[in-house]
Amino acid sequence: MRVAEVVGRVLHAHGARHVFGVVGSGNFHVTNALVAAGARFVAAAHEGGAASMADGYARTAGTVGLLSVHQGPGVTNALTGLTEAAKSRTPMVVLAPEATAPLSNFFIDLPALAAAVGADFHRVRATHAAEDAGAAYRAAARGATVVLGLPLEVQQAVTEAWSGPVPAAVPTPVSAPQVEPLLAALQAARRPVFIAGRGARAAREPLIRLADACGALLAVSAAAKGLFAGNPWNLDVAGGFATPLTAELIGAADLVVAWGSTLNMWTTRHGELIPASAVVVQVDHDPAAFGVNRPVDLTVAGEVSAVAEAVLAQLSVGATGAGGATTGGWRTPELARRIRDHCRWRTVPYQDEGGGAPATIDPRTLSAALDDLLPADRTVVVDSGNFMGYPSMWLDVPDVAGFCFTQAFQSVGLGLASALGAAVARPDRLTVAAVGDGGFVMSATELVTAVRLALPLLVVIYDDAAYGAEVHHFGPDGHPLETVTFPETDLAAIARGYGCDGLTARTVDDLAPVRQWLAGPRTRPLVVDAKVSAARGSWWLEEAFRGH
């Protein structure tokens, strides 16, 4: 059996069921080996799109994503999406053929490239192909983005046939987390707040039980939006996206516990959201994450769920002195009412800025109307740009798997392809891709892929005919803006050219065809070119520019 076939069989045996990519000579055989083993190959229009599809698939499915690309330019074309995945710690394996001869036009220093973007690097050897492929998959499953080097000459080498079984994973010995200092901090607190991040996405139930036991309020970083959906003490997203009430309550905390969150500048509003008087605790499985963004008073090493369960095992609500019901802490009926009525941006009053000639729609009004119109069982994928706070905070999601936030690298143009991967992962849900006009134009080629797959995908373009972040960053200082503003373009017509349904929306009434599309059969994507008002920057961007 050739090494390429062994790699494909091993990855499928470990659980790979979908692989995204663009096939060339270097990845032809390994991709076909995956398909022959039973995996589904999703052909993208461009390797950059394929990388984001694999990323969005892995985040939404909660499993390892696979990306297959050609050697050399196939790898470099995928680099931005790969960087986003690595920075997000997305479990993903990149099948990266290697032209190992430096004189080859396709030669690149693949290990150095992987290291430069924060990805792990593994290489397949002819005599250890099954072992190397399995090790790469298991490393990804533990939360790494892995570039798996497949030297061209090694792929063609004949090796011992492999048909399984997959060797059982040897569990890594884990010592019991040392939670006594955290327990004492919870016992002393009167106004505790939990902020859960990316590393807590699988820990909803133990964190809710612990919060109930100690009277904590619950918040999340943007990457974990939806984790506490439906809980009456959920403050939603902390940081720049926080509602005024959420910011007020976090600002009044005397204890903040960061669960799988590094409390970066966005989650903490450049450090000013958390009061200086609060005790700050960081819980993370990786000690290297402690204090990377701000000083903390206490650290606990361990998986989030394990730490929460260990604290619960020692915590007796009646004897803690924590801010729960036994001590008259801040979980009162009045606060529950305030959270219910004021912790969603939908409930914060604003002055509608739509209208004009030609007419535009306020992005808040647009987002609220869509939230009312779309089914609750949805996946929302958000691209980067001035607009991104509106779909992130006005479109509710049913759970943490329902929100895909492609912001670790802050690249414009990854949202559409990420949404395709999410739609493949969860065909039972409506997938909504929220993008700006700049990001849409960058990635529109992947509409071909969406049409080929007949995905029931809704693409909403927040179209301000500009790179809005730059307009609102530089415009107030009088800088010329001709390089970041553009003539109005009929993006719906472009979408129809790719085979999608398309409509232009300038008012809420213009969204009526969305209702008709939702009614079915939804055999092709619908693209809504929403001409949004752009008189000023989004609220979160205005706060960021003030350097809060």
Side-chain angles (χ1 to χ4, degrees):
M1 186 180 293
R2 296 195 183 276
V3 166
E5 186 176 355
V6 170
V7 171
R9 288 192 180 192
V10 169
L11 293 174
H12 180 267
H14 274 76
R17 294 297 179 266
H18 288 83
V19 54
F20 302 82
V22 176
V23 169
S25 60
N27 63 328
F28 182 87
H29 294 299
V30 69
T31 304
N32 280 337
L34 275 158
V35 172
R40 177 190 182 190
F41 176 66
V42 178
H46 188 275
E47 291 92 349
S52 293
M53 290 178 206
D55 186 7
Y57 171 86
R59 298 189 200 205
T60 305
T63 189
V64 175
L66 250 65
L67 169 64
S68 180
V69 295
H70 184 60
Q71 66 268 27
V75 177
T76 57
N77 279 349
L79 199 55
T80 301
L82 169 58
T83 306
E84 167 67 29
K87 287 179 175 290
S88 296
R89 300 188 294 280
T90 298
M92 191 163 91
V93 174
V94 182
L95 301 175
E98 283 189 275
T100 53
L103 293 180
S104 168
N105 288 348
F106 291 125
F107 175 78
I108 55 175
D109 189 342
L110 205 53
L113 181 149
V117 302
D120 290 359
F121 181 78
H122 292 228
R123 180 178 281 129
V124 168
R125 299 163 292 174
T127 54
H128 298 82
E131 175 188 341
D132 295 339
Y137 190 95
R138 290 190 295 273
R142 291 192 296 269
T145 297
V146 179
V147 175
L148 180 58
L150 301 171
L152 297 179
E153 66 277 13
V154 171
Q155 287 192 59
Q156 295 303 311
V158 176
T159 187
E160 184 175 345
W162 186 90
S163 58
V166 172
V170 178
T172 303
V174 178
S175 57
Q178 300 302 305
V179 300
E180 288 76 12
L182 172 57
L183 176 64
L186 291 168
Q187 290 173 332
R190 299 284 298 178
R191 298 179 304 282
V193 170
F194 291 175
I195 299 180
R198 195 188 312 274
R201 285 171 60 94
R204 171 185 165 95
E205 294 308 318
L207 287 179
I208 286 177
R209 285 189 282 114
L210 180 57
D212 288 344
C214 67
L217 305 183
L218 297 161
V220 292
S221 70
K225 180 179 170 65
L227 181 62
F228 301 124
N231 187 278
W233 305 106
N234 177 27
L235 306 181
D236 207 6
V237 178
F241 287 173
T243 62
L245 179 58
T246 296
E248 172 193 328
L249 293 173
I250 295 176
D254 60 1
L255 171 68
V256 173
V257 185
W259 300 90
S261 168
T262 59
L263 297 176
N264 65 27
M265 63 181 180
W266 305 112
T267 303
T268 64
R269 293 190 175 180
H270 293 266
E272 294 191 3
L273 183 64
I274 298 173
S277 59
V279 175
V280 179
V281 182
Q282 190 177 350
V283 179
D284 204 289
H285 77 282
D286 182 7
F290 293 147
V292 295
N293 288 308
R294 58 152 293 149
V296 293
D297 301 296
L298 175 65
T299 61
V300 183
E303 295 291 343
V304 167
S305 292
V307 173
E309 294 284 7
V311 176
L312 277 163
Q314 298 188 37
L315 188 62
S316 170
V317 175
T320 63
T326 58
T327 61
W330 64 348
R331 276 196 176 196
T332 64
E334 170 59 20
L335 183 57
R337 184 195 63 76
R338 292 185 68 204
I339 291 172
R340 182 195 66 204
D341 294 344
H342 301 292
C343 262
R344 297 175 68 216
W345 276 103
R346 289 285 304 269
T347 64
V348 177
Y350 68 91
Q351 182 176 349
D352 191 294
E353 296 178 350
T360 59
I361 185 170
D362 189 300
R364 295 163 292 190
T365 303
L366 167 69
S367 303
L370 288 169
D371 190 51
D372 292 338
L373 192 60
L374 303 179
D377 203 20
R378 63 182 74 150
T379 304
V380 176
V381 185
V382 182
D383 202 354
S384 188
N386 171 63
F387 77 94
M388 69 186 188
Y390 301 115
S392 296
M393 298 313 301
W394 266 263
L395 297 182
D396 289 337
V397 293
D399 52 35
V400 72
F403 189 67
C404 183
F405 196 58
T406 61
Q407 304 301 326
F409 196 33
Q410 289 187 262
S411 172
V412 171
L414 306 185
L416 177 58
S418 297
L420 268 63
V424 170
R426 291 297 304 266
D428 56 313
R429 288 182 168 179
L430 173 69
T431 300
V432 182
V435 301
D437 50 306
F440 173 78
V441 172
M442 284 186 185
S443 58
T445 184
E446 293 303 344
L447 290 177
V448 168
T449 308
V451 170
R452 288 172 180 167
L453 297 174
L455 292 176
L457 175 71
L458 176 65
V459 181
V460 181
I461 309 170
Y462 289 72
D463 182 2
D464 62 357
Y467 290 126
E470 283 66 35
V471 167
H472 299 296
H473 185 79
F474 296 108
D477 293 328
H479 295 290
L481 300 174
E482 289 79 9
T483 56
V484 290
T485 55
F486 309 99
E488 184 174 294
T489 304
D490 189 349
L491 300 181
I494 292 174
R496 287 192 291 270
Y498 279 107
C500 302
D501 290 330
L503 67 93
T504 300
R506 297 181 182 275
T507 68
V508 170
D509 291 342
D510 292 336
L511 297 174
V514 177
R515 188 183 304 276
Q516 299 167 13
W517 179 82
L518 289 170
R522 285 191 265 168
T523 55
R524 56 183 179 177
L526 172 62
V527 176
V528 178
D529 180 11
K531 305 297 188 182
V532 298
S533 55
R536 58 184 178 85
S538 63
W539 90 96
W540 68 268
L541 195 63
E542 290 177 342
E543 289 188 353
F545 291 162
R546 286 199 298 268
H548 57 235

